[in-house]
Amino acid sequence: MQSWPSLVDQDVHGKRLLIREDFNVPMEHGKISDHSRLDRALPTIKWALQHNAAVILCSHLGRPQEGQFDPAFSLAPVAEALSASVGQEVLLVQNYLDGVEVEPGQVVLLENVRFNIGETANDDILSQRLASLCDLFVMDAFATAHRAQASTAGVAEFAAAACFGPLMLEELAALGQALDQPASPLIAVVGGAKVSTKIQLLESLVHKVDTLIVGGGIANTFLKAAGYDVGRSLYEEEFVALAQSILAEAQRLGVRIPLPTDVRVAAAFSAEASAKITSIELMSSEDMILDVGPQTAATYAQMMQQAATVVWNGPVGVFEFAAFADGTRLLGEAIAASPGYTLAGGGDTLAACSAFQLSDQLSYISTGGGAFLSYLQGDILPAVAAIQNKENQYVR
């Protein structure tokens, strides 16, 4: 079991903590539309305050142009929401690179770190200026851990000391349980529109899992690779050969990749389109696959009952359209009912869990999108590596 330097093992009394959180919240008309990411960060913030630390929070929001302030990407709504949740004022600080005034027991929020020139390029000078703000840097934003940026990896390199926050450690433990030492059989579900965005993930998972279920446009490309006519369905012709090689490798390794036997099709990609269920072998050249059929969904559900570990990333159909939501809903319900350890991550997956009220029924829901995928495919996460490689990383 990997040993990680943890915030709760530190003596933080009177110390300045710079905590990197993920406050990249969805916004509608200047208001936060989903507080989930703020809620997940609260235990770390409250722990630090209870232990009399001077708390400095930082995060990005969206993708503003570096070097200029844009009110559309300001963290002001986040500061307001945090003030209510924490039970004390959380002051938003705009000019902070030359120092921040914060006393033990207080908490401030730095304005969007992506307003700083050099943030995304992981500029050393910016990293050093951020590091100078604190006695201890705390990485608690798993969703940004795959990015080598000034506020994630760079600051950890130059800070006097660095460690991981509770949420970050939760994420690493959940992923470790599902992938590093999983109970077998291990099933991975990888859905989404394009094989091209998940090539490395698919190639990696086929060597780790007992069963690999592909969904959405990815499944269409695999169906084409297996010799089926997919009509006018979304698929990637240039990746058919790759899909064939993955199918061949799976067969060599004894890994199952069960392809849909029946599908829900339509004449057009539209929420108003009428759904028709057909065998994959009877696909019309005019049909467009938008979901798996009931027979396939039942097969997947049976597999979930036999699984000891399930990792879910991506829907198996266009679940945003009511007529084509059943496949993903039934899959999600089957995963939730599985007796094994169940882990889900990725934006579309979280949206599906929310839509079908499954979030509380899985073993763990990851906050990461890109970071979740990076970990699944075996990448080294720069923010994790920066802290692991740091000498004298404990504050005593």
Side-chain angles (χ1 to χ4, degrees):
M1 177 82 57
Q2 174 70 56
S3 177
W4 309 99
S6 170
L7 172 63
V8 300
D9 293 330
Q10 314 302 312
D11 175 8
V12 301
H13 184 85
K15 302 276 178 52
R16 297 171 302 154
L17 272 56
L18 176 63
I19 308 177
R20 179 52 158 105
E21 295 288 8
D22 176 23
F23 297 146
N24 187 31
V25 293
M27 305 282 289
E28 292 181 8
H29 310 295
K31 301 289 185 181
I32 300 171
S33 59
D34 185 342
H35 285 70
S36 299
R37 290 180 178 177
L38 302 186
D39 295 340
R40 297 286 290 270
L42 285 177
T44 300
I45 299 168
K46 290 181 177 180
W47 185 94
L49 289 173
Q50 288 166 0
H51 288 78
N52 201 41
V55 181
I56 305 167
L57 306 174
C58 71
S59 176
H60 74 286
L61 176 63
R63 297 181 178 179
Q65 182 175 338
E66 288 188 0
Q68 62 183 52
F69 174 80
D70 185 340
F73 296 101
S74 173
L75 286 173
V78 172
E80 182 180 355
L82 285 174
S83 296
S85 298
V86 175
Q88 66 184 70
E89 182 183 17
V90 176
L91 182 68
L92 182 68
V93 181
Q94 290 197 342
N95 299 309
Y96 50 82
L97 292 180
D98 291 323
V100 176
E101 292 186 11
V102 56
E103 297 296 323
Q106 293 182 336
V107 54
V108 299
L109 173 63
L110 307 184
E111 184 57 283
N112 194 335
V113 292
R114 288 190 178 170
F115 289 160
N116 299 314
I117 294 175
E119 162 62 12
T120 56
N122 196 19
D123 178 73
D124 278 356
I125 293 177
L126 177 59
S127 299
Q128 290 166 4
R129 296 182 77 179
L130 289 171
S132 71
L133 303 178
C134 67
D135 302 303
L136 173 67
F137 171 67
V138 183
M139 181 59 184
D140 205 36
F142 175 75
T144 68
H146 63 305
R147 300 189 180 112
Q149 298 184 344
S151 69
T152 60
V155 62
E157 180 182 349
F158 294 105
C163 66
F164 297 111
L167 178 55
M168 184 78 182
L169 290 175
E170 272 185 21
E171 295 274 2
L172 292 171
L175 284 159
Q177 181 171 342
L179 290 166
D180 297 340
Q181 294 179 317
S184 184
L186 166 61
I187 297 178
V189 180
V190 179
K194 296 181 177 181
V195 171
S196 56
T197 62
K198 297 186 177 180
I199 293 172
Q200 189 178 339
L201 174 62
L202 293 166
E203 290 180 326
S204 174
L205 285 178
V206 78
H207 291 274
K208 296 179 179 179
V209 303
D210 299 290
T211 299
L212 174 60
I213 294 174
V214 289
I218 294 173
N220 298 340
T221 301
F222 274 76
L223 284 166
K224 189 72 175 178
Y228 293 102
D229 182 359
V230 296
R232 295 192 299 113
S233 307
L234 171 67
Y235 81 98
E236 294 175 286
E237 178 65 42
E238 64 271 35
F239 290 98
V240 168
L242 174 70
Q244 288 173 333
S245 71
I246 292 174
L247 287 169
E249 181 69 357
Q251 185 174 20
R252 185 185 72 81
L253 295 169
V255 172
R256 291 189 300 175
I257 302 183
L259 297 178
T261 54
D262 65 334
V263 289
R264 280 186 173 84
V265 300
F269 185 85
S270 168
E272 286 73 44
S274 297
K276 180 181 70 173
I277 298 171
T278 182
S279 163
I280 191 64
E281 296 176 347
L282 299 178
M283 277 277 298
S284 160
S285 60
E286 295 302 309
D287 285 337
M288 183 180 295
I289 301 172
L290 297 182
D291 194 14
V292 298
Q295 183 182 71
T296 299
T299 299
Y300 292 166
Q302 186 177 23
M303 291 177 177
M304 298 308 155
Q305 282 302 306
Q306 300 167 352
T309 308
V310 181
V311 178
W312 180 19
N313 176 250
V316 294
V318 188
F319 73 93
E320 298 89 347
F321 297 167
F324 306 98
D326 276 0
T328 300
R329 177 181 61 80
L330 292 169
L331 171 70
E333 289 174 351
I335 293 173
S338 171
Y341 181 80
T342 53
L343 170 67
D348 289 340
T349 314
L350 269 62
C353 287
S354 177
F356 304 128
Q357 299 181 322
L358 301 170
S359 300
D360 295 334
Q361 300 177 49
L362 276 69
S363 302
Y364 195 79
I365 301 284
S366 175
T367 60
F372 182 80
L373 285 177
S374 291
Y375 195 104
L376 289 189
Q377 63 196 27
D379 292 345
I380 294 173
L381 303 180
V384 174
I387 293 178
Q388 281 184 299
N389 294 337
K390 188 170 184 61
E391 294 182 3
N392 305 318
Q393 52 195 350
Y394 291 90
V395 173
R396 299 300 184 191

